[in-house]
Amino acid sequence: MTETFKREMTISHSDFFRILPKALKSYPYERKDNVITVTLDKAEISIILSEQRHRQIASLSLPVTDVTFQIKNVAEITKKDFFEQFDRAYHRGGG
């Protein structure tokens, strides 16, 4: 069973790849260009990055990347654990 969803992330490709080892620290993965394949036992999650673009808000320009996740045969608890770790790594504080 394959599940696919997309997130828009306000991040440059260079920052995404800089943070990636922390986000996937306990999971084996391979990277080929803008596609990362994470192996989870007999399952896998593919992370596909779109071309980077910019969003202009007044004089502020922000990098934006669409990130597509293709989840194949991943148990719910494993998926939950994976995304908790992934989201924690990419979470940015503000205030």
Side-chain angles (χ1 to χ4, degrees):
M1 181 166 115
T2 301
E3 175 186 354
T4 301
F5 68 93
K6 187 184 291 188
R7 288 183 180 173
E8 182 181 80
M9 295 178 70
T10 308
I11 193 166
S12 67
H13 282 200
S14 61
D15 281 345
F16 186 92
F17 290 120
R18 179 180 55 81
I19 297 168
L20 186 66
K22 179 180 177 185
L24 302 179
K25 67 181 173 186
S26 61
Y27 300 102
Y29 68 94
E30 292 182 14
R31 175 185 169 200
K32 183 173 181 183
D33 298 322
N34 290 340
V35 178
I36 301 99
T37 304
V38 183
T39 305
L40 308 163
D41 297 323
K42 296 178 182 179
E44 72 177 33
I45 297 176
S46 296
I47 304 169
I48 305 158
L49 275 60
S50 71
E51 293 297 317
Q52 182 180 309
R53 61 185 193 282
H54 284 57
R55 174 169 295 134
Q56 195 73 31
I57 303 172
S59 63
L60 180 64
S61 179
L62 300 171
V64 177
T65 301
D66 292 319
V67 181
T68 302
F69 297 89
Q70 293 178 341
I71 304 164
K72 299 175 186 166
N73 303 318
V74 178
E76 281 301 314
I77 189 69
T78 304
K79 185 168 55 171
K80 180 181 178 285
D81 291 344
F82 174 85
F83 281 103
E84 280 180 2
Q85 180 174 317
F86 184 89
D87 292 343
R88 195 175 313 115
Y90 285 99
H91 182 76
R92 296 180 182 179

